[in-house]
Amino acid sequence: MTHKPVILVTRKLPKAVEARLVRDYAPILNPDDKLYSAEELIDLSSTADAILPCHTEKMTAALIEKLPANIKAIANFSVGVDHCDLEAAKSKGIIVTNTPDVLSDATAEIAMLLMLGAARRASEGERMVRASQWHDWSPGFMVGRQVTGKRFGVIGMGRVGQVSAKRARCFDMDIHYYNRSRLRNELEAGATYHETVESLLPHCDVLSIHCPATPETTGLLNAARIALLPEGAIVVNTARGGVVNDEALIEALKSGKVWAAGLDVFNGEPEDIHPEYRTLDNVFLLPHIGSATQDTRDAMGYRALDNLDAIFAGKEPGDRVA
Ligand code: DGY
């Protein structure tokens, strides 16, 4: 019998995904879903042929440098790979993959939830009802912003950006976008392309961030760029916290320049997010759950396993990023 590759699985995965892992590999599972330290990850890698991590594992250059030579691949259970130093992996000859496409619908749903939650003061209203603070109703009570017919601006018109734009069209929103390259006509579907972020921003009644976190996009939404938004814009972020300069966004939320924000991702998440976000009424906050549906979790796992299957069959994996 041939040796089944050993896969270090860093977090507890959906049942069906773990069943496939057990069938096809010799996985080192994590039934308690413990968050491993860098040292533990290195120790656990000593007998593994590949690692299947999530974005919660910081696969830094220092960690990758210390991985044993038996590690051939890092098959991420995520589309974002900002937690993983691709250059360090490349220089060690480790193949890195991600899980694109399969989480676009789920993440676009959360972008819509954040947009509506921020626009219609959902978090404020919900807290009021729960705290028995709802005492009256009048025409001026809890008045929010209507998004129907307004402009929906996208930074990063990849797969999630495109699905979000499609969903926003259901609210008769006019789509504007910035992307490194202009989309083909049929993908653009009538959206207006802007060659720079600066030229996009004045057209965003709602700005939805969908670009990956890279050194180039770190702090991209800063004070100078926020100043280019229309007065009272709404900011939505389902990508990565690093794309936003928190101080600048908080200042704009306090001044009313940004009317409200819907955020699913944060610098310093989960525990060290900017404390002022917790105190502002005009932010709708979620704990990085863009892709958290059962369908999508299963699909992410299968996609990571498809990549491993290809790698251990000596083929090029579909989602190679390094
Ligand atoms: C992703 O896939 O990048 C999601 O943010 C979960 O990690």
Side-chain angles (χ1 to χ4, degrees), residues 6-307:
V6 177
I7 313 296
L8 169 59
V9 183
T10 64
R11 303 304 300 259
K12 188 171 166 58
L13 297 185
K15 261 200 185 106
V17 176
E18 292 199 347
R20 186 171 142 185
L21 267 159
V22 169
R23 186 191 68 192
D24 299 340
Y25 294 96
I28 302 169
L29 298 177
N30 181 357
D32 298 328
D33 207 18
K34 178 178 190 287
L35 181 61
Y36 295 131
S37 66
E39 291 68 33
E40 286 170 316
L41 286 171
I42 294 161
D43 280 354
L44 287 162
S45 300
S46 65
T47 57
D49 296 295
I51 307 176
L52 198 164
C54 295
H55 78 266
T56 45
E57 282 65 60
K58 306 296 168 228
M59 307 299 287
T60 61
L63 185 154
I64 290 173
E65 179 54 38
K66 290 189 194 130
L67 288 176
N70 39 288
I71 297 295
K72 294 168 196 64
I74 296 173
N76 287 294
F77 183 95
S78 65
V79 65
V81 287
D82 48 299
H83 61 285
C84 189
D85 194 308
L86 301 184
E87 286 312 311
K90 253 191 233 167
S91 63
K92 247 188 119 140
I94 296 175
I95 297 172
V96 183
T97 60
N98 70 342
T99 58
D101 299 321
V102 291
L103 39 66
S104 307
D105 288 334
T107 308
E109 286 179 6
I110 288 290
M112 294 300 103
L113 175 63
L114 290 171
M115 171 175 76
L116 296 173
R120 302 302 297 272
R121 305 170 62 175
S123 167
E124 199 184 339
E126 214 252 2
R127 272 179 284 127
M128 182 189 294
V129 178
R130 279 185 194 275
S132 307
Q133 297 295 317
W134 177 29
H135 303 301
D136 193 11
W137 185 96
S138 82
F141 173 63
M142 287 288 298
V143 173
R145 289 283 165 102
Q146 191 156 311
V147 297
T148 301
K150 304 277 166 52
R151 296 166 298 178
F152 184 79
V154 175
I155 295 181
M157 198 63 144
R159 303 164 183 93
V160 183
Q162 287 172 42
V163 181
S164 298
K166 193 169 173 191
R167 302 291 176 261
R169 281 188 189 99
C170 299
F171 294 104
D172 297 330
M173 297 185 85
D174 189 18
I175 312 300
H176 291 253
Y177 75 100
Y178 163 76
N179 198 48
R180 273 176 310 177
S181 51
R182 187 170 180 166
L183 300 187
R184 293 196 310 275
N185 243 355
E186 65 273 24
L187 294 181
E188 204 170 67
T192 304
Y193 176 60
H194 296 267
E195 280 182 1
T196 63
V197 173
E198 284 73 15
S199 61
L200 165 74
L201 292 171
H203 301 275
C204 301
D205 298 314
V206 176
L207 169 67
S208 197
I209 300 172
H210 297 287
C211 58
T214 63
E216 294 73 44
T217 62
T218 299
L220 179 144
L221 192 66
N222 57 18
R225 293 203 177 94
I226 288 173
L228 298 174
L229 287 166
E231 287 300 310
I234 291 170
V235 171
V236 169
N237 190 6
T238 51
R240 285 292 185 267
V243 181
V244 171
N245 177 307
D246 291 327
E247 279 75 23
L249 180 58
I250 286 164
E251 202 38 57
L253 283 161
K254 284 179 173 169
S255 72
K257 169 73 191 177
V258 169
W259 195 75
L263 307 173
D264 184 47
V265 287
F266 302 85
N267 286 299
E269 65 179 58
E271 284 164 342
D272 290 330
I273 71 170
H274 197 298
E276 286 206 69
Y277 283 133
R278 301 186 206 274
T279 67
L280 289 169
D281 266 340
N282 54 345
V283 286
F284 183 70
L285 308 173
L286 292 177
H288 199 146
I289 54 167
S291 55
T293 68
Q294 196 59 57
D295 295 343
T296 295
R297 289 285 180 254
D298 287 348
M300 290 168 77
Y302 298 148
R303 190 91 178 208
L305 291 183
D306 291 346
N307 286 318

